[in-house]
Amino acid sequence: MRPNGRHTAGASQLSALRVWAVGLLLLSAVAISPTTARAAPSQAQVATTHVYLLRGVLNIFSLGLDTIGARLQAQGIPVTVANFVSWSSLADEAAAAYRAGRLKTIVLVGHSSGATALPDMIAKLNQLGVPVKLAIGLDSVFKTKLSTGAERYINIFIGDGPGEPVRAANGFRGKLDNVDVRGTGVGHISIDKNEAIQRRVIAEIDAAIMRSRAPALPVAEQGAPRQARSAAASAPARN
């Protein structure tokens, strides 16, 4: 019996749609796929690590950072979740712990205005002689320039939304990665809550802790002149 021509055409179109959909999913996965650590960090590495997570405005739009913090705590990693306006006092706290030998690996994560504040916090820590192992910004909302060094800075942003790529100033030392996740269905308010983004953030933190035995990059000497204030300090707050 000859197959019905209409049925055959419909099946062909359905098959093509399936192939297209699978291809789109694969492209999205590549855009936001997490970097998986080969092994879990040791307890000794975890014990001298602290992750600071900076929420955006009003403390109500960045609650995905609380989820990330809870998952890190489940691994035994100490965390602090706070509003971005606390970045300066948190830097002082981290510097004191570092000088006392209680802290060796510092990781910073921020969303929205919290991401915009990260360069300021890194600059202050560097001035205090404290290295930053890793910083991850989620959709920084102002033009953000990184003037001093985190060993690695990852800026995950939505290129057709309010987020901005981070630019390295002259003299920047470290590795800067701008990751554009436009077209993946992630929005400014949801980026910190997206499961794939959260997995990537946690995997990058685990990998950074695993690298914590490597020598840290040199930082500015304590008392060195402060670089020009970044956009986080000069621009009005947004989330």
Side-chain angles (χ1 to χ4, degrees):
M1 180 182 296
R2 293 181 62 190
N4 183 282
R6 184 183 304 171
H7 176 75
T8 303
S12 177
Q13 290 175 351
L14 181 59
S15 177
L17 285 172
R18 285 175 177 167
V19 170
W20 178 85
V22 170
L24 181 60
L25 286 172
L26 288 174
L27 287 173
S28 298
V30 169
I32 59 177
S33 60
T35 301
T36 304
R38 293 180 179 272
S42 70
Q43 288 200 354
Q45 289 170 315
V46 164
T48 54
T49 296
H50 202 102
V51 180
Y52 295 90
L53 300 111
L54 302 183
R55 297 193 195 110
V57 172
L58 301 179
N59 271 337
I60 60 174
F61 297 115
S62 303
L63 298 184
L65 296 186
D66 295 63
T67 304
I68 293 172
R71 291 182 174 186
L72 292 171
Q73 286 180 318
Q75 295 180 348
I77 300 172
V79 305
T80 296
V81 184
N83 188 258
F84 77 101
V85 297
S86 302
W87 68 264
S88 184
S89 60
L90 292 176
D92 289 331
E93 174 187 303
Y98 182 83
R99 288 192 294 265
R102 298 190 303 272
L103 195 54
K104 294 182 180 178
T105 304
I106 295 173
V107 176
L108 312 178
V109 181
H111 169 236
S112 191
S113 295
T116 308
L118 293 184
D120 282 326
M121 189 168 178
I122 292 168
K124 181 168 184 177
L125 285 167
N126 283 185
Q127 289 166 20
L128 296 173
V130 180
V132 176
K133 193 72 176 178
L134 172 68
I136 302 176
L138 301 177
D139 219 31
S140 176
V141 291
F142 299 108
K143 294 185 185 301
T144 306
K145 184 175 287 188
L146 195 60
S147 58
T148 54
E151 184 171 307
R152 188 175 183 205
Y153 194 110
I154 303 171
N155 176 51
I156 302 175
F157 73 105
I158 305 164
D160 55 357
E164 296 276 353
V166 171
R167 293 173 175 80
N170 292 335
F172 168 73
R173 300 185 65 180
K175 183 178 180 182
L176 170 61
D177 292 321
N178 279 297
V179 181
D180 189 347
V181 294
R182 77 178 80 187
T184 60
V186 176
H188 180 70
I189 300 299
S190 65
I191 189 170
D192 60 308
K193 304 167 188 68
N194 179 271
E195 178 66 24
I197 297 289
Q198 290 191 354
R199 287 200 310 267
R200 172 161 188 171
V201 168
I202 292 169
E204 294 287 2
I205 292 170
D206 286 342
I209 297 172
M210 292 289 292
R211 297 192 304 269
S212 62
R213 292 181 182 177
L217 289 172
V219 298
E221 294 182 4
Q222 187 169 352
R226 178 73 185 268
Q227 297 285 344
R229 296 171 68 203
S230 74
S234 59
R238 287 174 55 192
N239 198 83

